[in-house]
Amino acid sequence: MTIDTADRPSRQPAAERPSFQVSFEFFPPKTDVMEERFWDSITKLAPLHPRFVSVTYGAGGSTRERTLRMVSSIKADTGVDAAAHLTCVGASKAEVDAVVRGYQEAGISRIVALRGDPAEGMGKPFTPHPEGYQNAADLVAGLNKLGDFDISVAAYPEKHPQSPDWAAEIDNLKRKLDAGATRAITQMFFDNDDYFRLVDRAQAAGITAPIVPGIQPIHSFKQISGFAARCGASIPGWLAERFEGLDEDPETHALVASAVAAEQVLELVDNGITEFHFFTLNRSNLVLALARLLGVRPD
Ligand code: FAD
């Protein structure tokens, strides 16, 4: 049996392949040891010329200073564009606007604008601050009044857990983009069909902005399963089976993680996807390998 692979972009010679855009997400480190790993990973990933490196914002602004310090240093030390995440949970508009002015003063013009979750967790209903932005769409509109930002917003291949239905979900995504966001970045997902269905639904609703897949390499199946459960992303049975029994076997775990992520990314490439956002968890190895599969390499 011969399998014709000629029409698969992932198998084409570099010169004929589409060029890929990547971005990398980090979280602000808490300790000196974590900060060392953060910079080690940034140093390895910066030469890949990502569109931007983003740094998350802790619930309720708990990482406010650290997020600002990290995005400022990334931009100043590596020359790579940095994007600051920002949430509006538990803060007045004046407080959020003050954070935005801090980003502006540091030369940061890219923002990932989010609603955020209540301190008690996503299971609890979201109540906006009485003088705050009501949701992410309201925050995007507010940002546009404060300056000229490149704004990314969140999208959910499996629907946001608080969405009543798909119509409300897509309406909300459209509101965020219509308010002035440039692109949406998805929550982690492990079944590409969920992503393709989201893109179809968005296009049917007239959304033309890119919906960039958020790729979560599985450095630790146990840890990622916990994250997934907290943010409403599902772990398919076949994925759990692949990692079953590997908790005490880091070498095989790492090989399986790399195969799983490669399979996901290459299937997206073969379906025409050219932009990727990688959740790095401040580690570089798996992401470096995935970028190489895309032909994204240091100069
Ligand atoms: P929104 O888009 O405002 O709303 C979420 C859901 O609420 C909608 O899907 C919709 O179901 C419902 N909703 C909102 N407004 C309406 C309305 N008017 N009518 C009907 N339904 C409505 N969290 C952090 O704390 N810090 C981070 O740095 C961070 N980074 C993230 C990065 C990415 C790529 C993603 C995907 C998520 C990130 N999150 C982060 C998580 C995010 O804060 C949560 O998922 C949160 O629950 C929703 O935020 P949102 O911006 O999608 O909210």
Side-chain angles (χ1 to χ4, degrees):
M1 185 175 74
T2 44
I3 298 172
D4 184 9
T5 58
D7 59 348
R8 290 191 201 171
S10 63
R11 303 277 173 94
Q12 284 162 2
E16 289 160 35
R17 236 181 284 151
S19 66
F20 296 99
Q21 286 271 2
V22 295
S23 50
F24 304 127
E25 183 171 313
F26 283 72
F27 64 88
K30 268 193 194 148
T31 62
D32 289 350
V33 174
M34 286 165 86
E35 185 152 348
E36 213 171 292
R37 185 160 82 195
F38 176 96
W39 285 114
D40 178 60
S41 299
I42 296 270
T43 309
K44 289 183 177 136
L45 292 173
L48 303 184
H49 300 294
R51 172 181 273 151
F52 59 80
V53 165
S54 78
V55 181
T56 59
Y57 193 79
S62 56
T63 67
R64 184 177 163 149
E65 278 75 30
R66 275 184 286 139
T67 300
L68 173 62
R69 183 162 66 85
M70 292 300 145
V71 285
S72 311
S73 310
I74 288 169
K75 183 138 187 167
D77 297 354
T78 68
V80 168
D81 237 354
H85 292 221
L86 179 65
T87 68
C88 47
V89 61
S92 68
K93 284 187 183 180
E95 285 165 335
V96 172
D97 293 355
V99 177
V100 175
R101 275 190 284 278
Y103 291 150
Q104 279 174 316
E105 280 159 24
I108 302 300
S109 60
R110 292 181 183 268
I111 296 203
V112 183
L114 304 142
R115 185 196 73 180
D117 290 313
E120 312 81 55
M122 186 146 70
K124 300 283 174 254
F126 174 80
T127 313
H129 185 285
E131 287 150 29
Y133 292 107
Q134 299 297 299
N135 49 44
D138 196 21
L139 175 62
V140 173
L143 285 170
N144 273 323
K145 286 191 195 140
L146 293 172
D148 185 15
F149 292 105
D150 171 278
I151 304 171
S152 304
V153 291
Y156 300 87
E158 297 178 72
K159 196 156 74 58
H160 188 278
Q162 288 166 341
S163 269
D165 52 40
W166 271 107
E169 178 73 17
I170 298 295
D171 270 2
N172 183 58
L173 177 60
K174 190 161 183 339
R175 259 196 308 275
K176 295 193 276 193
L177 292 161
D178 288 348
T182 309
R183 75 188 64 74
I185 300 174
T186 76
Q187 186 56 274
M188 66 169 94
F189 60 94
F190 298 101
D191 182 341
N192 284 344
D193 285 346
D194 289 328
Y195 169 78
F196 296 132
R197 276 191 288 267
L198 168 69
V199 173
D200 285 347
R201 287 179 167 116
Q203 285 174 350
I207 291 174
T208 52
I211 299 179
V212 181
I215 305 296
Q216 178 64 74
I218 304 180
H219 305 96
S220 154
F221 182 71
K222 214 169 163 182
Q223 185 189 33
I224 300 300
S225 307
F227 289 166
R230 282 199 291 283
C231 71
S234 50
I235 301 283
W238 56 264
L239 184 61
E241 265 176 36
R242 287 184 183 180
F243 285 97
E244 202 179 294
L246 294 182
D247 285 354
E248 308 301 326
D249 181 355
E251 242 173 74
T252 312
H253 187 296
L255 290 168
V256 172
S258 143
V260 162
E263 182 180 67
Q264 178 173 26
V265 167
L266 294 179
E267 189 184 48
L268 291 167
V269 167
D270 288 336
N271 281 276
I273 305 307
T274 57
E275 297 180 49
F276 293 88
H277 181 78
F278 292 101
F279 303 114
T280 69
L281 293 181
N282 297 4
R283 293 164 194 263
S284 59
N285 53 353
L286 274 171
V287 176
L288 273 170
L290 294 168
R292 174 165 273 266
L293 294 183
L294 296 174
V296 176
R297 296 177 185 201
D299 282 340

